[in-house]
Amino acid sequence: MPAPGFLVRLECSRCRAARAFAPPPAALCSCGAPLLARYRLADVRASLRREDLRGRTPTLWRYAELLPPVEPISLGEGLTPLIPAPRLGEDLGLARLYVKDESVNPTGSFKARGMSVAVSVAAAHGARRLGAPSAGNAGSALAAYGARAGIAVDLRLPESTPRPFVEEALHLGARVVLVPGSIADAGRALRESLGPPGEDWFDLSTLREPFRLEGKKTMGFEIAEQLDYRLPDVIVYPTGGGTGLIGMWKAFAEMEVLGWIGPARPRMVAVQARGCAPIVRAFEEGREEATAWEDPVTAAAGLRVPASLGDRLILAALRESGGAALAIDDCEMMRAAARLAEREGIDACPEGGAAVAAAAALRKRGAIRRDDTVVIFNTGTGLKYRP
């Protein structure tokens, strides 16, 4: 069917082949690369000014013209606070430090953004069952939005997933199966058990459909709006699958076409765990693609991602922005999360602690200046990691 609204096509991120926005939602391109949603940005620019956002609903759906034109399945996700962190900033030697606190989203993490948009598209296309592998937060979010939409949800989680994530997904009505190994093994188990995705079930695995990324890109819109359309100098982002980093980079490009911002971009910093750092390794070795990490080990469930389908896009954003990639060990990220809690009252997940530790390391190296405006991401609540 033709794409309604401003969404005009899906485009391969590698070979640029185009696809229609048609049911079931497209998966990967035939070349194996993720698809990206493309909009008629000239038409959006003619009909939407950034001032028009004032007074709109305080959810990510305030950016409806830049999202798929479907009925929202919403639990109030998005428009999370950008919190000045002066006391932590003083400790780190940063005069303008902010924390983008995603823990206040439904189910306690940034994963709500992607699942709201992906489930909305799936529901509009008549999905009867949704499936995904997850290290924790994505599964909980999919369970919640599936319940909201009245669609059955199948999850495959690694056996090492912290128990609170498992209990949360079960409580929200998902069918949960624990799988030995990592999230990559969980993904293979899902597809082996449910068969090829299509009319019977929709695969909402990271970057195997284009719309979780569309939800995550709204973090970029929000940062711009919250800083009066002056982007920060540095964004420090915990990176597993990397959808949020890719999405924000896409959002900045779209906003420039709309005339909302100029060509300046933040330096993007990808933070991974020392026990699972495929992007860091590829960045340091100057490669365009990342090889899978063998035997991934970290307490930060969201960073235990041995390979990302978006590796080329992540690495390109880091290099184009003049950014960096850092690996943080588990003890260091836990100490940094505790420091954020003690200094600013924000109960961060280990992934958020990794971002704090990375900012501290970059400041010590001189890669971040004292007067830079720096945004670090806390991607979820620390409560789910309590014993």
Side-chain angles (χ1 to χ4, degrees), residues 111 135 183 237-242 270-278 293 296-307 326 328 330 333 350-355 379 385:
K111 299 290 187 179
I183 190 172
Y237 190 78
T239 304
V271 185
Q272 298 197 297
R274 199 171 302 282
C276 184
W293 193 272
V297 177
T298 175
L303 299 182
R304 191 169 175 248
V305 180
L326 280 79
I328 302 296
D330 282 16
M333 68 177 73
E351 296 86 346
T379 50
Y385 286 90

Side-chain angles (χ1 to χ4, degrees), residues 245-328:
L245 190 150
I246 298 166
M248 285 190 285
W249 197 244
K250 182 175 186 284
F252 299 149
E254 291 175 352
M255 284 191 288
E256 184 179 359
V257 175
L258 297 178
W260 293 4
I261 62 172
R265 296 288 185 272
R267 303 194 297 279
M268 306 298 287
V269 177
V271 185
Q272 298 197 297
R274 199 171 302 282
C276 184
I279 297 297
V280 176
R281 181 172 62 189
F283 183 83
E284 291 176 345
E285 293 176 356
R287 290 188 280 113
E288 294 183 357
E289 297 180 344
T291 55
W293 193 272
E294 293 185 6
D295 192 25
V297 177
T298 175
L303 299 182
R304 191 169 175 248
V305 180
S308 170
L309 285 168
D311 56 347
R312 292 173 62 92
L313 296 170
I314 298 166
L315 290 163
L318 298 181
R319 294 193 174 106
E320 289 169 17
S321 70
L326 280 79
I328 302 296

